[in-house]
Amino acid sequence: MLRVTSNMMNSQLLLNLNRNARTMNDTQLQLATGRKLNKPSDDPVGITYSLRYRSELSANEQYQENVDSAISWLDFNDTVMSQTEDVVHRLRELTVQGANGTNPQSALDSINSEVKQLKAQLVDIANSQFNGKYIFNGQQYDVKPYNFPTGMDGLPDTSGAALVKTDTGVINYTVGESVQLPINITGNEVFGGNETDNIFAIIDRISSDLASGITSGISSELANIDTRTNKMLTTQANIGAKTNRIELMQSRLSDLEVNLTDLQSKTEDGDYAELLMKSKVQENIYNASLSVGSKIIQSSLVDFIR
């Protein structure tokens, strides 16, 4: 027969009181934080899922930032392309005017003056920057693609614009897990490389013919202008297609964020009503333990002698 001593009773009482106090404290902590996971021991399996959801949400947030940056880049490219097409459209109008054989040389000189200004404008557009990066020079976006020395008149000498070779490197934006999208276009794609319809070469030939009064040569450039315009329109259409795709990815990432946040909430967040009820029950249990314990511990040898 096991002999139960007062020492054993006291130890067991303190053990139970501490356990009840610890349980009540854990529930009150969950109630105060609103989370059922405050330390790994609360739910070892749940904390694994929680960490996974947090990691996926962090990656998703970075993808969303990349998508926003990519859309801004593409929108800027689209704006620049529209500006380029406006200049080329004006160039075509001047070319049609210059091809008219009834123009006196003074009129051709006036047209030539504006044509030169259009070339300068195109060079400015070709050196467009977005967030400090030259958008038409591939991966060498820190290097000015159409950079020319100053001429005798104090203005940049753009005579070599048709010979410029821009960097062909591709700028990829990571917009999803294992999903990379090239978003840049090069200057040679837009303005032309070693081609007959290089817009700068076209302007140089038109300017030379205007200065010499060779109207037949001016009219022959209309076909080249149209060819270059069609290539520009195709490039702008590709920008629009990429923008549409990234916007779909943006919507997908937004939906994924909602789903992951919901899963994280179910794993980490506590039910306030349930926790409140558990806290009250555990508080009552603890108070009852204290009440019973006080009656057990207060017994002494004097009580037995009586």
Side-chain angles (χ1 to χ4, degrees):
M1 183 175 179
L2 180 66
R3 178 169 175 266
V4 179
T5 66
S6 59
N7 230 8
M8 293 173 61
M9 292 174 61
N10 291 341
S11 296
Q12 186 62 40
L13 174 64
L14 291 174
L15 180 66
N16 290 333
L17 282 174
N18 285 333
R19 185 176 63 246
N20 290 342
R22 187 168 57 251
T23 301
M24 181 180 67
N25 181 68
D26 288 345
T27 301
Q28 289 178 345
L29 177 62
Q30 292 175 3
L31 193 61
T33 61
R35 295 161 47 85
K36 58 184 176 184
L37 292 181
N38 291 291
K39 54 185 183 296
S41 59
D42 289 339
D43 184 357
V45 175
I47 203 70
T48 302
Y49 283 105
S50 173
L51 292 174
R52 182 184 304 168
Y53 296 144
R54 286 174 178 269
S55 175
E56 291 179 1
L57 277 169
S58 178
N60 187 76
E61 182 181 356
Q62 184 60 59
Y63 292 144
Q64 286 181 313
E65 290 179 3
N66 291 350
V67 162
D68 291 340
S69 296
I71 289 177
S72 297
W73 180 288
L74 289 170
D75 285 345
F76 184 76
N77 274 253
D78 185 62
T79 300
V80 170
M81 287 301 303
S82 295
Q83 294 172 354
T84 304
E85 289 158 14
D86 288 342
V87 174
V88 174
H89 178 70
R90 178 56 183 163
L91 175 65
R92 194 183 193 286
E93 291 178 347
L94 293 175
T95 303
V96 171
Q97 291 178 24
N100 188 341
T102 61
N103 288 315
Q105 187 58 44
S106 59
L108 295 179
D109 290 341
S110 296
I111 294 173
N112 193 16
S113 178
E114 185 173 352
V115 166
K116 291 179 180 178
Q117 291 298 320
L118 291 180
K119 183 181 182 182
Q121 178 65 15
L122 283 176
V123 169
D124 287 342
I125 292 173
N127 288 324
S128 295
Q129 289 180 283
F130 179 73
N131 287 338
K133 299 175 181 178
Y134 293 101
I135 64 173
F136 290 129
N137 207 24
Q139 293 180 352
Q140 295 185 17
Y141 45 73
D142 57 338
V143 178
K144 192 175 184 178
Y146 294 85
N147 193 16
F148 308 107
T150 303
M152 296 292 293
D153 56 359
L155 299 174
D157 179 10
T158 60
S159 57
L163 303 176
V164 171
K165 292 183 179 179
T166 54
D167 183 65
T168 57
V170 176
I171 298 176
N172 289 310
Y173 269 59
T174 303
V175 295
E177 187 173 356
S178 301
V179 180
Q180 289 190 328
L181 187 68
I183 64 164
N184 67 307
I185 51 179
T186 67
N188 291 151
E189 284 181 84
V190 178
F191 306 102
N194 186 20
E195 305 163 275
T196 305
D197 62 352
N198 180 304
I199 193 63
F200 296 117
I202 292 173
I203 292 176
D204 289 342
R205 291 193 297 267
I206 291 175
S207 181
S208 177
D209 289 341
L210 286 170
S212 303
I214 307 174
T215 56
S216 59
I218 297 172
S219 60
S220 66
E221 297 296 339
L222 289 172
N224 291 328
I225 292 176
D226 291 341
T227 302
R228 176 49 52 187
T229 299
N230 289 334
K231 290 179 180 178
M232 288 180 176
L233 290 172
T234 300
T235 300
Q236 191 169 23
N238 289 336
I239 292 174
K242 290 178 182 179
T243 302
N244 289 338
R245 181 183 175 188
I246 289 186
E247 285 177 346
L248 289 174
M249 183 61 70
Q250 186 180 44
S251 177
R252 177 185 171 190
L253 290 173
S254 179
D255 291 340
L256 183 59
E257 180 185 17
V258 172
N259 292 336
L260 288 172
T261 303
D262 183 55
L263 290 171
Q264 182 188 24
S265 177
K266 288 179 179 178
T267 304
E268 296 183 4
D269 296 345
D271 185 325
Y272 189 78
E274 181 183 355
L275 288 173
L276 192 62
M277 183 176 65
K278 284 176 62 176
S279 176
K280 193 62 180 176
V281 170
Q282 289 163 1
E283 184 181 347
N284 291 337
I285 291 174
Y286 181 67
N287 288 333
S289 300
L290 290 174
S291 177
V292 172
S294 65
K295 295 178 182 178
I296 294 175
I297 292 177
Q298 72 181 2
S299 298
S300 65
L301 182 60
V302 176
D303 294 318
F304 288 110
I305 294 177
R306 287 176 187 169

